[in-house]
Amino acid sequence: MSRRDGSAAPAAESPSKELASVPALIASAFGKLNLERRARLLGRLLGSVGPLALVVIGGGVFAKYLRNARWPEIPISLEDAARATSSQVFDIVRYAKQSNPQLVDALLAALLQDGVTMTALGVSVAAITIKHVSDRRGWKPESSIKK
C-alpha cells in the first residue's frame, strides 16, 4: 500500500506478534480451564522443567514438587491447580519453550483439539495458535498456491 506522496505505508504489526506470545496463549488458556485440566496442564509443564526451575520459577511455589522433578508429568492436586496463577504458568511456559519447544508445540496442538478451550479462548486466539503451530511445522498457505 502507498501513501499519497508515493512512499510506502508502514507495514502493520503481525497480529500474532501484537496480540499474544505462545506463553501468553497457554497462560490465557490455563485461566479458562476447569480444575482437572489445569492440574493436568500444570503437571505436564512442571514435568518438562528441571529441579532448579521448580525451585525458581513462580517464586518457588512449585518447589514442593522437587521430589518428582524427573517425572514426565508431575501429579498436581486440584488445590494447587486452583492456586496457580496465569502469571506463574506464563513463566513456566516461557522457560519450557526455551528448553523443550516440542512440548510447547504439543500443548498448543492439544489445546487446538479441545473444543471447550478453543471456545473459551475465542476465535482470534485460536487463529494465532493455529498460525504458530503451522509456522513451527513449516507449512505456509501460500506455498500450496501456484502463482
Side-chain angles (χ1 to χ4, degrees):
M1 188 176 268
S2 64
R3 296 180 181 169
R4 286 185 191 179
D5 65 1
S7 65
E13 279 291 316
S14 162
S16 62
K17 289 179 183 173
E18 195 172 278
L19 293 177
S21 65
V22 172
L25 287 171
I26 294 177
S28 176
F30 179 81
K32 296 174 182 177
L33 295 174
N34 67 32
L35 285 180
E36 287 180 18
R37 290 180 186 200
R38 279 181 173 209
R40 198 160 155 216
L41 176 63
L42 193 55
R44 288 182 73 188
L45 285 169
L46 292 176
S48 73
V49 301
L52 180 60
L54 283 175
V55 174
V56 174
I57 292 176
V61 298
F62 303 112
K64 70 190 227 175
Y65 294 107
L66 194 55
R67 70 176 183 271
N68 308 103
R70 299 292 180 199
W71 293 12
E73 186 169 337
I74 295 176
I76 305 294
S77 70
L78 295 179
E79 294 80 20
D80 285 345
R83 280 192 294 268
T85 66
S86 292
S87 175
Q88 292 166 336
V89 171
F90 178 89
D91 289 343
I92 297 166
V93 176
R94 188 176 54 193
Y95 180 89
K97 186 177 178 211
Q98 294 171 6
S99 63
N100 188 353
Q102 293 79 20
L103 171 77
V104 175
D105 290 345
L107 290 174
L108 283 173
L111 289 174
L112 281 173
Q113 293 174 357
D114 184 355
V116 174
T117 302
M118 284 295 101
T119 301
L121 289 176
V123 175
S124 62
V125 174
I128 293 167
T129 305
I130 291 168
K131 181 181 179 341
H132 173 77
V133 170
S134 66
D135 286 351
R136 291 280 299 161
R137 293 184 178 159
W139 179 80
K140 302 281 186 204
E142 57 273 1
S143 67
S144 62
I145 301 172
K146 296 188 180 186
K147 294 182 180 181

CSV table of all heavy atoms in Angstrom, one decimal, residues 14-60:
chain,number,residue,atom,x,y,z
A,14,SER,N,2.2,-7.8,12.8
A,14,SER,CA,1.5,-9.1,12.7
A,14,SER,C,0.6,-9.3,13.9
A,14,SER,O,1.1,-9.1,15.0
A,14,SER,CB,2.5,-10.2,12.6
A,14,SER,OG,2.0,-11.4,12.9
A,15,PRO,N,-0.6,-9.7,13.7
A,15,PRO,CA,-1.5,-9.9,14.9
A,15,PRO,C,-0.9,-10.9,15.9
A,15,PRO,O,-1.0,-10.8,17.1
A,15,PRO,CB,-2.8,-10.5,14.3
A,15,PRO,CG,-2.8,-10.1,12.9
A,15,PRO,CD,-1.3,-10.0,12.5
A,16,SER,N,-0.2,-11.9,15.4
A,16,SER,CA,0.4,-12.9,16.3
A,16,SER,C,1.5,-12.3,17.2
A,16,SER,O,1.6,-12.7,18.3
A,16,SER,CB,1.0,-14.1,15.5
A,16,SER,OG,2.0,-13.7,14.7
A,17,LYS,N,2.2,-11.3,16.7
A,17,LYS,CA,3.2,-10.7,17.5
A,17,LYS,C,2.6,-9.7,18.4
A,17,LYS,O,3.1,-9.5,19.5
A,17,LYS,CB,4.3,-10.0,16.6
A,17,LYS,CG,5.2,-10.9,15.8
A,17,LYS,CD,6.1,-10.2,15.0
A,17,LYS,CE,7.0,-11.2,14.2
A,17,LYS,NZ,7.8,-10.5,13.2
A,18,GLU,N,1.6,-9.0,17.9
A,18,GLU,CA,1.0,-7.9,18.6
A,18,GLU,C,0.1,-8.4,19.8
A,18,GLU,O,0.1,-7.9,20.9
A,18,GLU,CB,0.1,-7.1,17.7
A,18,GLU,CG,-0.3,-5.8,18.2
A,18,GLU,CD,-0.9,-5.0,17.1
A,18,GLU,OE1,-0.2,-4.3,16.3
A,18,GLU,OE2,-2.2,-5.0,17.0
A,19,LEU,N,-0.7,-9.5,19.5
A,19,LEU,CA,-1.7,-9.9,20.5
A,19,LEU,C,-1.2,-10.9,21.5
A,19,LEU,O,-1.6,-10.8,22.7
A,19,LEU,CB,-2.9,-10.5,19.7
A,19,LEU,CG,-3.7,-9.6,18.9
A,19,LEU,CD1,-4.8,-10.4,18.2
A,19,LEU,CD2,-4.3,-8.5,19.7
A,20,ALA,N,-0.4,-11.8,21.1
A,20,ALA,CA,0.0,-12.8,22.1
A,20,ALA,C,1.2,-13.6,21.7
A,20,ALA,O,1.5,-13.9,20.5
A,20,ALA,CB,-1.2,-13.8,22.3
A,21,SER,N,2.0,-14.0,22.7
A,21,SER,CA,3.1,-14.9,22.5
A,21,SER,C,2.6,-16.3,22.9
A,21,SER,O,1.5,-16.4,23.5
A,21,SER,CB,4.2,-14.5,23.4
A,21,SER,OG,3.9,-14.6,24.8
A,22,VAL,N,3.4,-17.3,22.6
A,22,VAL,CA,2.9,-18.6,22.9
A,22,VAL,C,2.8,-18.8,24.5
A,22,VAL,O,1.7,-19.3,24.9
A,22,VAL,CB,3.9,-19.7,22.4
A,22,VAL,CG1,3.6,-21.1,22.9
A,22,VAL,CG2,3.9,-19.6,20.9
A,23,PRO,N,3.7,-18.3,25.3
A,23,PRO,CA,3.5,-18.4,26.7
A,23,PRO,C,2.2,-17.7,27.2
A,23,PRO,O,1.4,-18.2,28.0
A,23,PRO,CB,4.7,-17.7,27.4
A,23,PRO,CG,5.8,-17.9,26.3
A,23,PRO,CD,5.1,-17.8,25.0
A,24,ALA,N,1.9,-16.5,26.5
A,24,ALA,CA,0.6,-15.8,26.9
A,24,ALA,C,-0.6,-16.6,26.5
A,24,ALA,O,-1.6,-16.6,27.2
A,24,ALA,CB,0.6,-14.4,26.2
A,25,LEU,N,-0.5,-17.3,25.3
A,25,LEU,CA,-1.7,-18.1,24.9
A,25,LEU,C,-2.0,-19.2,25.8
A,25,LEU,O,-3.1,-19.4,26.2
A,25,LEU,CB,-1.4,-18.7,23.5
A,25,LEU,CG,-1.4,-17.8,22.3
A,25,LEU,CD1,-0.9,-18.5,21.1
A,25,LEU,CD2,-2.8,-17.3,22.0
A,26,ILE,N,-0.9,-19.9,26.2
A,26,ILE,CA,-1.1,-21.1,27.1
A,26,ILE,C,-1.5,-20.6,28.5
A,26,ILE,O,-2.4,-21.2,29.2
A,26,ILE,CB,0.1,-21.9,27.2
A,26,ILE,CG1,0.3,-22.6,25.8
A,26,ILE,CG2,0.0,-23.0,28.3
A,26,ILE,CD1,1.5,-23.5,25.6
A,27,ALA,N,-1.0,-19.5,29.0
A,27,ALA,CA,-1.4,-18.9,30.3
A,27,ALA,C,-2.8,-18.5,30.2
A,27,ALA,O,-3.6,-18.7,31.2
A,27,ALA,CB,-0.5,-17.7,30.6
A,28,SER,N,-3.3,-17.9,29.1
A,28,SER,CA,-4.7,-17.5,29.0
A,28,SER,C,-5.6,-18.7,29.0
A,28,SER,O,-6.6,-18.7,29.6
A,28,SER,CB,-4.8,-16.7,27.7
A,28,SER,OG,-6.2,-16.4,27.4
A,29,ALA,N,-5.2,-19.7,28.3
A,29,ALA,CA,-6.0,-21.0,28.2
A,29,ALA,C,-6.0,-21.6,29.6
A,29,ALA,O,-7.1,-22.0,30.1
A,29,ALA,CB,-5.3,-22.0,27.3
A,30,PHE,N,-4.9,-21.6,30.4
A,30,PHE,CA,-4.9,-22.1,31.7
A,30,PHE,C,-6.0,-21.5,32.6
A,30,PHE,O,-6.7,-22.1,33.3
A,30,PHE,CB,-3.5,-21.9,32.3
A,30,PHE,CG,-3.4,-22.4,33.7
A,30,PHE,CD1,-3.2,-23.8,33.9
A,30,PHE,CD2,-3.5,-21.6,34.8
A,30,PHE,CE1,-3.1,-24.3,35.2
A,30,PHE,CE2,-3.4,-22.1,36.1
A,30,PHE,CZ,-3.2,-23.4,36.3
A,31,GLY,N,-6.1,-20.2,32.5
A,31,GLY,CA,-7.0,-19.4,33.3
A,31,GLY,C,-8.5,-19.8,33.0
A,31,GLY,O,-9.4,-19.5,33.8
A,32,LYS,N,-8.7,-20.4,31.9
A,32,LYS,CA,-10.1,-20.7,31.5
A,32,LYS,C,-10.4,-22.2,31.5
A,32,LYS,O,-11.6,-22.6,31.3
A,32,LYS,CB,-10.3,-20.2,30.0
A,32,LYS,CG,-10.2,-18.6,30.0
A,32,LYS,CD,-10.3,-18.1,28.6
A,32,LYS,CE,-10.1,-16.6,28.7
A,32,LYS,NZ,-10.1,-16.0,27.4
A,33,LEU,N,-9.5,-23.0,32.0
A,33,LEU,CA,-9.7,-24.4,32.1
A,33,LEU,C,-10.4,-24.8,33.4
A,33,LEU,O,-10.2,-24.1,34.4
A,33,LEU,CB,-8.4,-25.2,31.9
A,33,LEU,CG,-7.6,-25.1,30.6
A,33,LEU,CD1,-6.3,-25.8,30.8
A,33,LEU,CD2,-8.5,-25.7,29.5
A,34,ASN,N,-11.1,-25.9,33.4
A,34,ASN,CA,-11.6,-26.4,34.7
A,34,ASN,C,-10.4,-26.9,35.5
A,34,ASN,O,-9.3,-27.1,35.0
A,34,ASN,CB,-12.7,-27.4,34.5
A,34,ASN,CG,-12.2,-28.7,33.9
A,34,ASN,OD1,-11.1,-29.2,34.1
A,34,ASN,ND2,-13.0,-29.4,33.1
A,35,LEU,N,-10.6,-27.2,36.8
A,35,LEU,CA,-9.5,-27.6,37.7
A,35,LEU,C,-8.8,-28.8,37.3
A,35,LEU,O,-7.6,-28.9,37.4
A,35,LEU,CB,-10.0,-27.7,39.1
A,35,LEU,CG,-10.3,-26.4,39.8
A,35,LEU,CD1,-10.8,-26.6,41.2
A,35,LEU,CD2,-9.1,-25.5,39.9
A,36,GLU,N,-9.5,-29.8,36.8
A,36,GLU,CA,-8.8,-31.1,36.4
A,36,GLU,C,-7.9,-30.8,35.2
A,36,GLU,O,-6.8,-31.3,35.2
A,36,GLU,CB,-9.9,-32.1,36.0
A,36,GLU,CG,-10.6,-32.7,37.2
A,36,GLU,CD,-11.6,-33.8,36.8
A,36,GLU,OE1,-11.5,-34.3,35.7
A,36,GLU,OE2,-12.5,-34.1,37.6
A,37,ARG,N,-8.3,-30.1,34.2
A,37,ARG,CA,-7.5,-29.8,33.1
A,37,ARG,C,-6.3,-28.8,33.5
A,37,ARG,O,-5.2,-29.0,33.0
A,37,ARG,CB,-8.3,-29.1,32.0
A,37,ARG,CG,-9.3,-30.1,31.4
A,37,ARG,CD,-10.1,-29.5,30.3
A,37,ARG,NE,-11.1,-30.5,29.8
A,37,ARG,CZ,-11.7,-30.5,28.7
A,37,ARG,NH1,-11.4,-29.5,27.9
A,37,ARG,NH2,-12.5,-31.4,28.3
A,38,ARG,N,-6.6,-27.9,34.4
A,38,ARG,CA,-5.5,-27.1,34.9
A,38,ARG,C,-4.4,-28.0,35.5
A,38,ARG,O,-3.2,-27.8,35.3
A,38,ARG,CB,-6.0,-26.1,36.0
A,38,ARG,CG,-6.7,-24.9,35.5
A,38,ARG,CD,-7.1,-24.0,36.6
A,38,ARG,NE,-7.6,-22.8,36.2
A,38,ARG,CZ,-7.5,-21.7,36.9
A,38,ARG,NH1,-7.0,-21.7,38.1
A,38,ARG,NH2,-7.9,-20.5,36.4
A,39,ALA,N,-4.8,-28.9,36.4
A,39,ALA,CA,-3.9,-29.8,37.1
A,39,ALA,C,-3.1,-30.6,36.1
A,39,ALA,O,-1.9,-30.7,36.2
A,39,ALA,CB,-4.6,-30.7,38.1
A,40,ARG,N,-3.7,-31.1,35.1
A,40,ARG,CA,-3.1,-31.9,34.1
A,40,ARG,C,-2.1,-31.1,33.3
A,40,ARG,O,-0.9,-31.5,33.0
A,40,ARG,CB,-4.1,-32.5,33.1
A,40,ARG,CG,-3.5,-33.7,32.4
A,40,ARG,CD,-4.7,-34.6,31.9
A,40,ARG,NE,-4.1,-35.2,30.7
A,40,ARG,CZ,-4.8,-35.5,29.7
A,40,ARG,NH1,-6.1,-35.2,29.6
A,40,ARG,NH2,-4.3,-36.1,28.6
A,41,LEU,N,-2.5,-29.9,32.8
A,41,LEU,CA,-1.6,-29.0,32.1
A,41,LEU,C,-0.4,-28.6,32.9
A,41,LEU,O,0.7,-28.6,32.5
A,41,LEU,CB,-2.4,-27.8,31.6
A,41,LEU,CG,-1.5,-26.7,30.9
A,41,LEU,CD1,-0.9,-27.2,29.6
A,41,LEU,CD2,-2.4,-25.5,30.6
A,42,LEU,N,-0.7,-28.2,34.1
A,42,LEU,CA,0.4,-27.8,35.0
A,42,LEU,C,1.4,-28.9,35.3
A,42,LEU,O,2.6,-28.8,35.3
A,42,LEU,CB,-0.2,-27.3,36.4
A,42,LEU,CG,0.7,-26.5,37.3
A,42,LEU,CD1,1.4,-25.4,36.6
A,42,LEU,CD2,-0.1,-26.1,38.5
A,43,GLY,N,0.8,-30.1,35.5
A,43,GLY,CA,1.7,-31.3,35.7
A,43,GLY,C,2.6,-31.6,34.5
A,43,GLY,O,3.8,-32.0,34.7
A,44,ARG,N,2.1,-31.4,33.3
A,44,ARG,CA,2.9,-31.7,32.1
A,44,ARG,C,4.0,-30.6,32.0
A,44,ARG,O,5.1,-30.9,31.6
A,44,ARG,CB,2.0,-31.7,30.8
A,44,ARG,CG,1.2,-32.9,30.7
A,44,ARG,CD,0.4,-33.0,29.5
A,44,ARG,NE,1.2,-33.2,28.3
A,44,ARG,CZ,0.8,-33.2,27.1
A,44,ARG,NH1,-0.5,-32.9,26.8
A,44,ARG,NH2,1.6,-33.4,26.1
A,45,LEU,N,3.6,-29.4,32.3
A,45,LEU,CA,4.6,-28.3,32.2
A,45,LEU,C,5.7,-28.4,33.2
A,45,LEU,O,6.9,-28.3,32.9
A,45,LEU,CB,3.9,-26.9,32.4
A,45,LEU,CG,3.1,-26.4,31.2
A,45,LEU,CD1,2.2,-25.2,31.6
A,45,LEU,CD2,4.0,-26.0,30.1
A,46,LEU,N,5.3,-28.7,34.5
A,46,LEU,CA,6.3,-28.9,35.5
A,46,LEU,C,7.2,-30.1,35.3
A,46,LEU,O,8.3,-30.1,35.7
A,46,LEU,CB,5.6,-28.9,36.9
A,46,LEU,CG,5.0,-27.6,37.3
A,46,LEU,CD1,4.2,-27.8,38.7
A,46,LEU,CD2,6.0,-26.5,37.4
A,47,GLY,N,6.6,-31.1,34.7
A,47,GLY,CA,7.4,-32.3,34.3
A,47,GLY,C,8.5,-32.0,33.3
A,47,GLY,O,9.4,-32.8,33.2
A,48,SER,N,8.3,-30.9,32.6
A,48,SER,CA,9.3,-30.6,31.5
A,48,SER,C,10.4,-29.8,32.0
A,48,SER,O,11.4,-29.6,31.2
A,48,SER,CB,8.5,-29.9,30.3
A,48,SER,OG,8.2,-28.6,30.7
A,49,VAL,N,10.4,-29.3,33.2
A,49,VAL,CA,11.4,-28.4,33.7
A,49,VAL,C,12.3,-29.2,34.7
A,49,VAL,O,11.8,-30.2,35.3
A,49,VAL,CB,10.9,-27.1,34.3
A,49,VAL,CG1,10.1,-26.3,33.3
A,49,VAL,CG2,10.1,-27.4,35.5
A,50,GLY,N,13.5,-28.8,34.9
A,50,GLY,CA,14.3,-29.5,35.9
A,50,GLY,C,14.1,-29.0,37.3
A,50,GLY,O,13.3,-28.2,37.6
A,51,PRO,N,14.9,-29.7,38.2
A,51,PRO,CA,14.7,-29.3,39.6
A,51,PRO,C,15.0,-27.9,40.0
A,51,PRO,O,14.3,-27.3,40.8
A,51,PRO,CB,15.8,-30.2,40.3
A,51,PRO,CG,16.2,-31.2,39.3
A,51,PRO,CD,15.8,-30.7,38.0
A,52,LEU,N,16.0,-27.3,39.4
A,52,LEU,CA,16.3,-25.9,39.6
A,52,LEU,C,15.2,-25.0,39.2
A,52,LEU,O,14.8,-24.1,40.0
A,52,LEU,CB,17.6,-25.5,38.9
A,52,LEU,CG,18.1,-24.0,39.1
A,52,LEU,CD1,18.3,-23.8,40.6
A,52,LEU,CD2,19.3,-23.7,38.3
A,53,ALA,N,14.6,-25.3,38.1
A,53,ALA,CA,13.5,-24.4,37.6
A,53,ALA,C,12.3,-24.6,38.6
A,53,ALA,O,11.6,-23.6,38.8
A,53,ALA,CB,13.1,-24.8,36.2
A,54,LEU,N,12.0,-25.8,39.1
A,54,LEU,CA,10.9,-25.9,40.0
A,54,LEU,C,11.1,-25.0,41.3
A,54,LEU,O,10.1,-24.6,41.8
A,54,LEU,CB,10.8,-27.4,40.5
A,54,LEU,CG,10.2,-28.4,39.5
A,54,LEU,CD1,10.3,-29.8,40.1
A,54,LEU,CD2,8.8,-28.0,39.2
A,55,VAL,N,12.3,-24.8,41.7
A,55,VAL,CA,12.6,-24.0,42.9
A,55,VAL,C,12.5,-22.5,42.5
A,55,VAL,O,12.1,-21.7,43.4
A,55,VAL,CB,14.0,-24.4,43.4
A,55,VAL,CG1,14.4,-23.5,44.6
A,55,VAL,CG2,14.0,-25.9,43.9
A,56,VAL,N,12.9,-22.2,41.3
A,56,VAL,CA,13.0,-20.7,41.0
A,56,VAL,C,11.7,-20.2,40.3
A,56,VAL,O,11.3,-19.1,40.7
A,56,VAL,CB,14.2,-20.5,40.0
A,56,VAL,CG1,14.3,-19.1,39.5
A,56,VAL,CG2,15.5,-20.9,40.7
A,57,ILE,N,11.2,-20.9,39.4
A,57,ILE,CA,10.0,-20.4,38.6
A,57,ILE,C,8.8,-20.2,39.5
A,57,ILE,O,8.5,-21.0,40.4
A,57,ILE,CB,9.6,-21.4,37.5
A,57,ILE,CG1,10.8,-21.3,36.4
A,57,ILE,CG2,8.3,-21.0,36.8
A,57,ILE,CD1,10.6,-22.3,35.3
A,58,GLY,N,8.1,-19.1,39.3
A,58,GLY,CA,6.9,-18.8,40.0
A,58,GLY,C,7.2,-18.4,41.5
A,58,GLY,O,6.3,-18.6,42.3
A,59,GLY,N,8.4,-17.9,41.7
A,59,GLY,CA,8.7,-17.5,43.1
A,59,GLY,C,8.9,-18.7,44.0
A,59,GLY,O,8.8,-18.6,45.3
A,60,GLY,N,9.1,-19.9,43.5
A,60,GLY,CA,9.4,-21.0,44.3
A,60,GLY,C,8.2,-21.8,44.8
A,60,GLY,O,8.3,-22.7,45.6
